Amino acid sequence: MTKKIILVVLLALVFSAVQAQKGTTVQEKLDYYNQEYPQEKVYLHTDRKYYAPGEPIWFQSYLTAGYLHEASPFSANVYVELYAESDSLVAEKLIFSEGGFGQGVIDVPQQLTEGNYVLRAYTNWMRNFDQNFFFEKPIVVVTGSELESYTSTANNKIDLQFFPEGGNLVSGIPAKVGFKAINSLGKGIYVEGEVHNSTGTKVTNFSTEHDGMGLFTLLPQKGESYSVKLTGKNETYSLPKLENEGYGIQVIQRPNQLRLIFRANVSNPSKGRFKALIHTRGLVSHTIEVDLSKGEALGVISTDEIPAGISHITLFDENDRPLLERLVFIERPIETSLALDKNSYLAREKLTTKIKLNDTNGGPFRGMMSMSVLDMDKVIDGSPEQTIYSELLLSSDLKGYVDNPMYYFNGENTEAKKHLDLVMMTHGWSRFVWDDLMNDNYPGFDFPVELGVSLQGTLYRESSKKTESSGKVTLVNNRSFPPLILETETDKDGRFSFQNLLVYKSDNLLLKGKNSKDKDNVRFEVDTLKERVNAPLPNFKSIFSQEELLEKEDFLQFKKERDMIERAFNPDSLFTDLGTVMVEGSKLQVEREDKQLKEKTAYGRGTSAFDFTEWSATGAYTNIFSALVGKFPGVTVRMGPTGEPTVVIRAGGFTYPALFLLDDVPTDAALISGLSPMNFSRVVLFKGLAATAIFGDAGKGGVMAFYTKSADGISLSPEELKNSNTMIVELPYTYDQPREFYAPKYDVQKPEDAKPDKRAVLHWQTMIELDENGEATIEFWNSDDAKQIMIDVQGLTNSGIPFFINKTYAIGKN
């Protein structure tokens, strides 16, 4: 596919063009906040969680905006980063998100040590808000060294926190108190103990129910204080300070219904009017008048109109001041199905799956999804612990790490819903603070929505610090054919900018500058640094159980076998980087190898080459073609009166137009002649049979392949940069060209099928669209020895509903 720089034409909402009314009530201010500050969320579906060094992490990005989780029409740039537990950046990618969807791959570096890593993703717009809401996914790299196995942590210090329902302990109001206990590794841990009053009298006891969480009930008494003593521990933990007056809430969740009990213990409860507001990600579903004149009020709410996910129940006084808040989770999964075409399969047999999505009325859903298929005997992974469903509806709206969030959506676990409510009790949603909202303290627009890649800088007078105002800067992509050219004018400070570009890593961008008098005695300084975002906090730590340690050994053994197979059938596919070594040999041999390297191109080895890195073409030479005069036998270079070049490559007595390549891409002489000679590293010549054998009729007149220093990995010297009016630009953030996942097809017998098939990832497919019937059909081939296969499907409907399908099947003999 021919790659071009194009202006990314996206119709984004202009947040401040039509100023929304801030209003005075809670709901008006909430509506204003949602309109002016739409929340973007990123989710990455990866092929798995556990990797060995050198393996690729395949992923699809889902970018949503607003409280309905619809595919975002705003940002085009998704930043993806892989961090080590030590907060060091391992790898980073820029992914182009088209209409909310993108794809990419990160290769796990060969030198990585075994341990825990974090895959993080965000947009520039998301940087205006709390960084804690960036997407984060645990990644574990396995090498064979000793990663910590599971041991008892009973003697480690325990962090124990308490969360009264509604937010406060109030005397005279019965309360459920949630708690969470974590150890020094950040893992939830089992605890049990007793609650005591100020005299040391036992009030109640408690124990953990799930993942370090649990709850107990308490009727606080005025003037008392309460503490907790854990069984077998010496530490004493204090409960939150008791309020003598205040308000409380009790939530009872039933199918399709919420029962809300509000209580007040104040000196004059009949004063004022109270209001309860229920919202989901800022979308208000209910506003309820609450009469607490008798100290207690009951409300029964249908959940049919409440969107799926985390909802906030907040009680406000007559001055719209928040008094208490309680989180609840509303689950409303859609109907999904994945049908297989057979009950059992043979090795290397084609498998056809049909996926279908329906709403509650049986109507079809359209949407986008991705699929990972794993051989469960060759990976450590089990069912995904994190999916787009758990991320968008749960984790992304909670501050703090949630371990194995998909546990709470296991329909076969009768305790899952109860334990999910413990998560609601022990976490808080902090995308905004009510006091900030009511006082109009809003985030700044410090980080704008990005619709593409930006290139900006300053134009200076040559060898000077004086800037050039009203100068002309031309941007050319020499990878496109024909070349695409953009122009802009510098401002009064000599600044120039090209915005919203679609630029891939393999693209070479050419900048050419002139001053206001059309003279080229200018130079550039290009802005290349993006402000670094703070590293993520190491919120998780994988601990291998004894069973997982055995799976780890099998995982590494299968990886070793696959590497051996690749070396045997494709010797160039794998290599070991030995670093810098000294190789002794004859001078003639070294010169021969150096010559072959200089003549190497993407099309094969050329007839001859000229090296510009060992010969200065600056000075009197302002055109690369004039610098080539007399450098190649049998090649005549003439310069026309206006500087246009004519090249004649004699071969066999015939003369035809020469073909020109710039960094392996066909182009014309005009573009090449516009580059300063200092930008080039070498020129490779093809002529005669060497040209026609490779390029056919297009090479009859010979071929000149020009290579820039940028393409050959050679940086311009500071002096060259200082005096360059034309330069090749390498942007630090450009898009990765999507890479195709390779998997064999055994429909037709081929010689390469002799290679043993021991794949761990049988299939990875992104950008799978559901058709008008809510269906999609996917085909792939099984491997040689797989017995148990897991299919992991995740996606997003056009209406913003996340979904997942997880299914296993067996390979058997008929």
Side-chain angles (χ1 to χ4, degrees), residues 47-65:
D47 61 320
R48 48 198 163 122
K49 175 182 175 180
Y50 295 86
Y51 298 86
E55 291 189 317
I57 302 174
W58 297 92
F59 63 85
Q60 172 160 331
S61 65
Y62 294 84
L63 177 62
T64 69

Side-chain angles (χ1 to χ4, degrees), residues 196-443:
H196 298 266
N197 63 16
S198 58
T199 64
T201 303
K202 172 186 168 182
V203 177
T204 187
N205 53 16
F206 63 88
S207 62
T208 298
E209 294 186 39
H210 172 70
D211 195 27
M213 298 179 293
L215 62 82
F216 55 85
T217 58
L218 184 69
L219 179 59
Q221 301 299 316
K222 188 173 182 179
E224 273 290 1
S225 61
Y226 298 90
S227 61
V228 163
K229 184 71 182 297
L230 296 181
T231 303
K233 296 290 182 179
N234 294 323
E235 292 92 349
T236 299
Y237 301 86
S238 297
L239 265 64
K241 182 181 178 181
L242 184 66
E243 304 289 339
N244 290 328
E245 291 191 355
Y247 304 86
I249 185 176
Q250 181 182 356
V251 176
I252 303 171
Q253 194 164 355
R254 295 178 177 174
N256 305 317
Q257 188 183 88
L258 290 176
R259 294 175 63 86
L260 312 177
I261 303 174
F262 297 96
R263 296 184 174 96
N265 180 12
V266 293
S267 55
N268 190 353
S270 62
K271 272 193 171 183
R273 299 188 308 174
F274 298 87
K275 177 175 61 180
L277 184 143
I278 302 177
H279 78 89
T280 308
R281 299 179 293 274
L283 176 63
V284 177
S285 59
H286 295 82
T287 302
I288 312 163
E289 295 295 330
V290 179
D291 182 4
L292 286 173
S293 59
K294 296 181 180 179
E296 186 172 300
L298 171 66
V300 179
I301 303 298
S302 170
T303 59
D304 291 342
E305 297 179 3
I306 302 179
I310 297 176
S311 290
H312 296 242
I313 305 168
T314 311
L315 182 68
F316 296 88
D317 66 12
E318 68 276 13
N319 297 314
D320 283 338
R321 289 178 300 189
L323 302 174
L324 57 82
E325 187 164 77
R326 171 68 149 91
L327 274 60
V328 295
F329 191 92
I330 304 299
E331 188 170 6
R332 193 174 292 110
I334 60 178
E335 182 183 339
T336 62
S337 66
L338 188 154
L340 307 180
D341 59 334
K342 297 179 64 176
N343 292 325
S344 63
Y345 299 89
L346 298 174
R348 298 198 177 192
E349 187 175 7
K350 185 173 74 171
L351 183 146
T352 303
T353 67
K354 178 174 283 189
I355 297 171
K356 186 174 179 61
L357 267 65
N358 289 324
D359 60 22
T360 54
N361 298 320
F365 276 112
R366 301 200 68 171
M368 189 78 73
M369 59 188 181
S370 43
M371 172 189 280
S372 175
V373 183
L374 304 179
D375 180 344
M376 299 301 286
D377 292 326
K378 296 185 178 64
V379 297
I380 302 175
D381 298 72
S383 298
E385 299 175 353
Q386 180 184 30
T387 69
I388 189 172
Y389 187 87
S390 66
E391 180 66 22
L392 293 186
L393 298 184
L394 179 66
S395 304
S396 64
D397 286 339
L398 291 175
K399 200 167 186 178
Y401 177 67
V402 179
D403 191 29
N404 190 10
M406 283 304 296
Y407 164 87
Y408 304 102
F409 306 107
N410 182 354
E412 298 178 359
N413 182 357
T414 57
E415 296 290 300
K417 288 187 177 180
K418 179 183 176 183
H419 294 161
L420 178 57
D421 197 54
L422 289 177
V423 177
M424 298 298 99
M425 291 276 292
T426 57
H427 286 73
W429 191 74
S430 306
R431 285 193 181 274
F432 60 83
V433 179
W434 283 116
D435 289 342
D436 288 341
L437 191 72
M438 298 310 296
N439 294 321
D440 297 334
N441 294 328
Y442 299 107

Side-chain angles (χ1 to χ4, degrees), residues 691-732:
T692 55
I694 297 173
F695 299 95
D697 286 345
K700 288 191 298 185
V703 179
M704 267 192 172
F706 294 79
Y707 290 89
T708 62
K709 291 180 178 178
S710 173
D712 280 345
I714 303 171
S715 300
L716 294 177
S717 68
E719 188 63 27
E720 287 173 328
L721 285 172
K722 182 178 178 181
N723 296 296
S724 178
N725 71 312
T726 307
M727 64 185 298
I728 299 291
V729 181
E730 289 187 39
L731 293 177

Side-chain angles (χ1 to χ4, degrees), residues 13-186:
L13 295 181
V14 181
F15 304 129
S16 58
V18 181
Q19 186 78 2
Q21 296 299 315
K22 294 181 181 179
T24 57
T25 68
V26 173
Q27 184 158 348
E28 288 172 344
K29 288 181 177 289
L30 192 56
D31 290 342
Y32 171 82
Y33 182 87
N34 290 330
Q35 181 173 337
E36 294 295 300
Y37 300 90
Q39 303 293 308
E40 285 189 324
K41 295 181 181 180
V42 178
Y43 173 74
L44 300 183
H45 179 200
T46 63
D47 61 320
R48 48 198 163 122
K49 175 182 175 180
Y50 295 86
Y51 298 86
E55 291 189 317
I57 302 174
W58 297 92
F59 63 85
Q60 172 160 331
S61 65
Y62 294 84
L63 177 62
T64 69
Y67 41 66
L68 295 180
H69 288 147
E70 294 177 309
S72 177
F74 305 135
S75 297
N77 293 356
V78 174
Y79 296 91
V80 180
E81 301 166 340
L82 182 63
Y83 275 89
E85 198 172 24
S86 60
D87 295 345
S88 60
L89 182 64
V90 173
E92 58 185 337
K93 300 285 184 179
L94 178 63
I95 302 303
F96 177 57
S97 178
E98 186 172 11
F101 305 99
Q103 57 184 315
V105 58
I106 289 180
D107 292 309
V108 178
Q110 287 281 359
Q111 72 274 15
L112 280 196
T113 58
E114 181 159 293
N116 302 289
Y117 295 80
V118 177
L119 190 65
R120 180 171 73 169
Y122 57 91
T123 67
N124 197 54
W125 173 252
M126 290 170 64
R127 296 173 65 192
N128 291 303
F129 309 96
D130 193 336
Q131 182 175 318
N132 284 289
F133 295 104
F134 288 1
F135 169 80
E136 292 182 1
K137 178 184 178 71
I139 294 292
V140 181
V141 174
V142 184
T143 65
S145 59
E146 291 298 321
L147 186 65
E148 185 173 2
S149 59
Y150 180 79
T151 55
S152 173
T153 56
N155 295 323
N156 290 344
K157 186 173 178 60
I158 295 173
D159 180 17
L160 184 60
Q161 299 180 41
F162 303 95
F163 306 89
E165 186 173 23
N168 296 306
L169 284 177
V170 181
S171 65
I173 296 181
K176 288 190 296 184
V177 179
F179 67 86
K180 183 162 189 179
I182 58 176
N183 61 22
S184 58
L185 299 177

Side-chain angles (χ1 to χ4, degrees), residues 3 38 91 202 246 433 690 765 782 793:
K3 292 174 288 182
K202 172 186 168 182
V433 179
Q765 188 171 343
N782 287 319
V793 177

